[in-house]
Amino acid sequence: SSWWAQVEMGPPDPILGVTEAFKRDTNSKKMNLGVGAYRDDNGKPYVLSCVRKAEALIASKKMDKEYLPIVGLADFTRASAELALGENSEAFKSGRYVTVQGISGTGSLRIGANFLQRFFKAGRDVYLPKPSWGNHTPIFRDAGLQLQSYRYYDPRTCSLDFSGAMDDIARIPEKSIILLHACAHNPTGVDPRQEQWKELAATVKKRNLLVYFDMAYQGFASGDINRDAWAVRHFIEQGINVLLSQSYAKNMGLYGERAGAFTVICSDAEEAKRVESQLKILIRPMYSNPPLNGARIAATILNTPDLRKEWLVEVKGMADRIISMRTQLVSNLKKEGSSHSWQHITDQIGMFCFTGLKPEQV
Amino acid sequence: MAASIFTAVPRAPPVAVFKLTADFREDGDSRKVNLGVGAYRTDEGKPWVLPVVKKVEQIIANDDSLNHEYLPILGLPEFRANASRIALGDDSPAIKENRIGSVQSLGGTGALRIGAEFLRRWYNGNNNTATPVYISAPSWENHNSVFVDAGFKDIRTYHYWDAAKRGLDLQGLLNDMEQAPEFSIFILHACAHNPTGTDPTPDQWKQIAAVMKRRFLFPFFDSAYQGFASGSLDKDAWAVRYFVSEGFELFCAQSFSKNFGLYNERVGNLTVVGKDTDNVQRVLSQMEKIVRTTWSNPPSQGARIVATTLASPELFAEWYDNVKTMADRVLLMRSELRSRLESLGTPGTWNHITEQIGMFSFTGLNPKQVEYMIKEKHIYLMASGRINMCGLTTKNLDYVAKSIHEAVTKIQ
């Protein structure tokens, strides 16, 4: 008999399973509004022009394939920190941060989760917004942490339940970990306004909570990288030393190249060095060192002025197309004669929209 | 500002092998030689991007139909199938019987980790934190960390290297297997044992397999040097294939870092061999869950390069040739080093240098002698006495041989 006789069949992934079902469907009218990857107006994947240019530039340099350091490509991690924090950020300029390259958003989140499990002895609980990206829960759980939630989405209004969130957060025990979506909340598309972020920051600070930001859509949400990073930067300015996970899957279309970064804002550069040394100890037994290709493309774009300019235009282009789809969907629904309020479709931001459709309607 | 939650985070020691390279870089001495980290070097002491890799990268770059979309969780299908085929052989009964599975992983390390995480959760019942894991003494130092971080609490060593006779301690190894609790997990190096370069002979492998079968021990192969060790893919996979032919269920963590020179693209594969299709399917479904919370889906570039190469007869032949180039240079450096040491009359015996196989050689130098080599001769090698043969060139052979001679005669 087999060693694996008792292994249960795992359920299909709820998100990726939708795409599999789509692929199996033979109907000519089929559409896939499931998995989170950008599509152009022809419904096709979009390789950014700045990405193609960066790839050509890289190819012309004929570099070797030597192992990266455990923490990844330095040009990439530095540029990622600057992109998130802003070049004028005191935290960035003083060097009181550590940024390591991670395997896109998931890998970056997991590094942080493992780091917290090992070193954040004060708390085991991670508070997620309700709802959150489906993979957050298993990531933190597999890292050995416990999951809790705070109210976030109000299904009656299809918008933010701000008072509910504030109530719940005000009661989170001190030294718990709270996860916040920096922008373009996944799956609801509902983001706090800036005044609301300010109140959240004040409450979180008062409750002495450890803040972990997941930023998977910088630039992709509003079309403006600074606007999308506003919450992260505000929290840091308020003296909240956050953890941050970044992904370049969507905003640079680098999905399968797995480019991401994990950052810890520290008290000072010396602490950052200690934290970095421990992150290396965590990463080495996971995959030794990260893949170069995506990080090198991203670094080339961020660090080459012309390419960076072009990228900002292209990411805005993607964001604008999404915003225009929202607008047109609402106007078309009205044209179809719907008297239901669809304002949430245009109020929400980013790739996803919580339509309000019930399971039977889905 | 409030006291930091990280105030108590201690500074971790650097990973030894990378620190060695960092120290080497900072060394200003013109005679310096890096015999540390395990990456291939040409006779000019330079990294080598395989010609076939350059060619395939161009093919990929010119293919407008390709984009950067997510791979499936378990990886690129053409990569997975071809990678496992390379390990198990074209005529593998396990492949024919459709009872193999593959998980594209981030290098060999990633494959080991995914395999370890799976075993801890599912191997023999649902909680294997107490299942003993046996790692050879010595082994690649990261093996231990992989299994610790995967949650195993009882990690042991099995006898392997006999320092006195500079060879395999087969009896010690077999004894450890006889004494090991049934169902223990054993990490086996498929070929080119790291760091000793000492592999069991086919006869010895047969003895090992017999004990493991009788005692229900699980074989987890680490195959990081297939092709690179002897120049022959089949020869370097003999042990894995023998175990499969003996009916074992097993894991094999494969790395394409060395044999494809794709170090920084993180190309690896976990091959799973099971009793039947159904078991393997269920295993893969659970592997997906583990992958999803670790890296979601693997990087695309390296897998494409390998898949394209392995799927084309011409490119495969070219790759085989490139691999043989590397293996042959290593073999040449081994014989050249040995002959110089013997000519110098360096105390001790040096046949182990040519009898050992793969990238590394366990020279037998002790820590004091190693320190001498580094500090006085600016030749960097691991404290264990492990040298990377790839760091040797026709230009530095004389200097290295003389330095070893000095170290052995001056320091005891």
Side-chain angles (χ1 to χ4, degrees):
Chain A
S1 86
S2 169
W3 285 126
W4 320 123
Q6 288 168 324
V7 175
E8 295 154 13
M9 181 64 119
D13 186 274
I15 297 167
L16 303 173
V18 171
T19 292
E20 279 163 32
F22 167 79
K23 285 192 181 133
R24 287 195 296 269
D25 192 324
T26 52
N27 190 299
S28 61
K29 291 207 197 124
K30 67 178 182 176
M31 293 181 71
N32 187 359
L33 301 181
V35 78
Y38 180 82
R39 293 287 177 265
D40 63 16
D41 201 49
N42 296 314
K44 296 273 180 276
Y46 171 57
V47 179
L48 276 65
S49 161
C50 64
V51 167
R52 289 208 193 279
K53 288 189 178 140
E55 287 177 305
L57 209 66
I58 290 163
S60 70
K61 290 191 180 148
K62 301 190 186 313
M63 292 179 273
D64 63 43
K65 296 208 171 288
E66 293 299 286
Y67 287 124
L68 281 178
I70 299 174
V71 296
L73 187 66
D75 282 347
F76 171 75
T77 52
R78 191 182 178 281
S80 291
E82 191 197 38
L83 179 67
L85 306 181
E87 58 181 347
N88 293 319
S89 151
E90 164 273 326
F92 178 72
K93 289 198 285 204
S94 69
R96 63 177 186 93
Y97 71 92
V98 51
T99 299
V100 301
Q101 183 179 337
I103 314 298
S104 206
T106 300
S108 304
L109 281 164
R110 182 58 182 271
I111 290 170
N114 282 6
F115 177 74
L116 290 171
Q117 190 281 335
R118 193 171 278 188
F119 290 103
F120 188 60
K121 294 308 182 189
R124 293 284 85 168
D125 286 333
V126 179
Y127 283 76
L128 300 180
K130 205 173 359 181
S132 195
W133 180 46
N135 207 18
H136 278 144
T137 293
I139 287 171
F140 285 104
R141 198 183 30 215
D142 278 6
L145 298 168
Q146 279 147 209
L147 280 308
Q148 308 287 350
S149 65
Y150 55 92
R151 275 174 288 170
Y152 190 80
Y153 178 70
D154 186 345
R156 295 167 305 156
T157 58
C158 296
S159 65
L160 179 63
D161 177 4
F162 185 59
S163 58
M166 288 293 282
D167 268 352
D168 283 354
I169 292 172
R171 273 179 293 186
I172 293 178
E174 289 205 358
K175 299 190 180 160
S176 303
I177 302 155
I178 180 170
L179 183 117
L180 296 164
H181 296 224
C183 62
H185 181 270
N186 179 358
T188 69
V190 168
D191 285 351
R193 295 188 303 274
Q194 282 186 4
E195 319 88 73
Q196 293 171 323
W197 273 124
K198 285 178 179 169
E199 288 191 55
L200 282 163
T203 302
V204 142
K205 195 170 173 184
K206 200 156 126 197
R207 297 298 304 149
N208 197 13
L209 303 178
L210 177 55
V211 175
Y212 197 163
F213 270 109
D214 181 354
M215 184 155 70
Y217 300 99
Q218 185 183 8
F220 196 93
S222 69
D224 178 336
I225 50 162
N226 293 312
R227 188 149 156 217
D228 289 346
W230 189 88
V232 174
R233 296 175 186 181
H234 175 75
F235 273 56
I236 295 171
E237 278 159 27
Q238 297 306 304
I240 302 168
N241 287 353
V242 307
L243 275 60
L244 169 68
S245 161
Q246 287 168 274
S247 167
Y248 292 88
K250 286 84 173 172
N251 61 10
M252 283 194 184
L254 289 174
Y255 308 91
E257 304 296 340
R258 320 310 292 127
F262 171 67
T263 295
V264 182
I265 305 296
C266 298
S267 307
D268 51 47
E270 187 274 336
E271 179 173 281
K273 278 282 157 220
R274 280 185 285 115
V275 171
E276 183 189 53
S277 73
Q278 294 296 347
L279 291 173
K280 285 176 171 174
I281 301 287
L282 268 169
I283 293 169
R284 172 80 165 146
M286 282 178 88
Y287 51 82
S288 276
N289 41 73
L292 171 70
N293 199 45
R296 187 165 265 164
I297 293 170
T300 303
I301 290 170
L302 293 173
N303 295 324
T304 310
D306 284 348
L307 292 182
R308 190 183 178 112
K309 276 201 200 88
E310 192 172 349
W311 172 56
L312 292 175
V313 169
E314 287 192 279
V315 78
K316 185 172 189 311
M318 291 192 285
D320 284 347
R321 191 180 101 69
I322 289 173
I323 291 168
S324 106
M325 288 300 100
R326 289 181 180 277
T327 311
Q328 289 182 60
L329 179 59
V330 171
S331 67
N332 280 8
L333 283 164
K334 283 208 185 90
K335 275 204 205 108
E336 290 292 315
S338 175
S339 55
H340 184 83
S341 167
W342 295 104
Q343 192 187 326
H344 53 282
I345 292 185
T346 41
D347 283 348
Q348 289 166 9
I349 190 168
M351 196 177 270
F352 304 113
C353 169
F354 244 33
T355 54
L357 288 177
K358 301 197 189 68
E360 318 83 70
Q361 291 164 329
V362 170
Chain B
M1 203 180 289
S4 166
I5 52 164
F6 303 126
T7 302
V9 172
R11 172 86 90 146
V15 177
V17 68
F18 299 133
K19 170 105 184 21
L20 196 71
T21 292
D23 290 345
F24 168 80
R25 281 213 192 96
E26 280 176 27
D27 190 327
D29 195 297
S30 61
R31 297 166 296 169
K32 66 179 182 176
V33 182
N34 188 358
L35 300 181
V37 77
Y40 178 78
R41 292 284 176 272
T42 63
D43 197 52
E44 284 78 47
K46 298 263 182 293
W48 192 49
V49 179
L50 274 57
V52 74
V53 167
K54 286 186 189 161
K55 190 183 270 190
V56 172
E57 283 188 311
Q58 196 57 54
I59 293 173
I60 290 170
N62 294 342
D63 187 347
D64 281 332
S65 74
L66 292 176
N67 53 42
H68 293 293
E69 293 296 291
Y70 289 126
L71 287 182
I73 297 175
L74 295 179
L76 187 67
E78 309 84 79
F79 168 78
R80 296 164 57 209
N82 278 300
S84 290
R85 182 176 59 83
I86 289 294
L88 302 178
D90 288 332
D91 52 358
S92 171
I95 295 180
K96 289 204 174 80
E97 291 155 23
N98 197 17
R99 54 188 181 85
I100 72 130
S102 328
V103 181
Q104 181 189 333
S105 309
L106 285 259
T109 305
L112 283 164
R113 181 60 177 266
I114 297 298
E117 293 277 352
F118 176 87
L119 290 173
R120 196 253 302 155
R121 286 164 172 76
W122 294 106
Y123 161 53
N124 188 26
N126 292 70
N127 182 358
N128 286 275
T129 50
T131 302
V133 176
Y134 283 80
I135 297 173
S136 68
S139 192
W140 182 49
E141 93 289 343
N142 205 22
H143 278 143
N144 199 75
S145 312
V146 168
F147 284 87
V148 166
D149 281 13
F152 287 96
K153 301 285 182 219
D154 185 359
I155 303 192
R156 311 180 185 186
T157 56
Y158 61 89
H159 285 84
Y160 195 85
W161 172 249
D162 184 331
K165 72 170 210 219
R166 283 196 192 147
L168 177 66
D169 177 4
L170 180 69
Q171 212 38 64
L173 193 165
L174 293 174
N175 282 347
D176 285 339
M177 286 184 170
E178 294 285 2
Q179 302 302 318
E182 289 189 341
F183 317 124
S184 297
I185 295 163
F186 273 75
I187 312 309
L188 305 168
H189 297 227
C191 68
H193 183 271
N194 177 358
T196 68
T198 300
D199 290 343
T201 63
D203 260 349
Q204 292 173 328
W205 274 121
K206 286 180 179 171
Q207 292 181 65
I208 291 168
V211 178
M212 290 187 74
K213 192 186 269 194
R214 192 171 19 88
R215 301 209 36 78
F216 306 107
L217 306 175
F218 182 79
F220 194 150
F221 279 98
D222 182 353
S223 176
Y225 301 100
Q226 190 185 2
F228 194 99
S230 70
S232 158
L233 292 172
D234 293 330
K235 193 153 166 226
D236 291 345
W238 188 88
V240 179
R241 296 176 189 183
Y242 176 72
F243 271 67
V244 172
S245 74
E246 286 293 297
F248 281 90
E249 292 183 300
L250 56 81
F251 282 0
C252 181
Q254 299 168 258
S255 167
F256 292 91
S257 290
K258 284 85 172 170
N259 61 15
F260 259 87
L262 286 174
Y263 307 94
N264 64 25
E265 301 289 4
R266 314 313 294 125
V267 198
N269 187 51
L270 178 69
T271 289
V272 175
V273 178
K275 277 272 145 56
D276 54 45
T277 309
D278 183 69
N279 273 296
V280 170
Q281 289 315 305
R282 280 180 286 105
V283 167
L284 289 180
S285 75
Q286 294 298 347
M287 291 281 184
E288 276 195 350
K289 302 270 151 284
I290 295 167
V291 168
R292 183 66 164 138
T293 61
T294 313
W295 54 64
S296 264
N297 42 76
S300 153
Q301 180 72 354
R304 275 183 179 156
I305 294 170
V306 173
T308 306
T309 306
L310 297 181
S312 148
E314 298 88 31
L315 293 172
F316 176 84
E318 199 176 331
W319 172 58
Y320 209 105
D321 203 59
N322 290 171
V323 171
K324 200 166 179 313
T325 298
M326 293 191 284
D328 285 349
R329 194 180 100 64
V330 169
L331 287 167
L332 180 65
M333 290 301 102
R334 285 185 179 279
S335 73
E336 292 286 302
L337 179 63
R338 173 183 169 180
S339 67
R340 275 167 179 71
L341 291 171
E342 285 172 349
S343 302
L344 287 168
T346 307
T349 54
W350 300 101
N351 47 298
H352 58 282
I353 295 207
T354 47
E355 281 159 19
Q356 289 165 5
I357 189 169
M359 198 180 269
F360 303 113
S361 175
F362 238 31
T363 53
L365 291 175
N366 65 40
K368 287 214 192 77
Q369 292 163 337
V370 169
E371 203 186 333
Y372 176 85
M373 293 283 283
I374 297 173
K375 295 231 153 48
E376 303 303 323
K377 312 307 292 185
H378 306 272
I379 296 173
Y380 290 75
L381 64 155
M382 301 298 290
S384 61
R386 183 192 91 168
I387 59 172
N388 177 6
M389 302 306 296
C390 302
L392 293 173
T393 67
T394 47
K395 290 194 186 63
N396 66 28
L397 268 167
D398 286 337
Y399 178 62
V400 172
K402 285 207 191 86
S403 303
I404 292 176
H405 182 85
E406 273 183 43
V408 171
T409 48
K410 281 188 183 168
I411 319 266
Q412 263 74 51

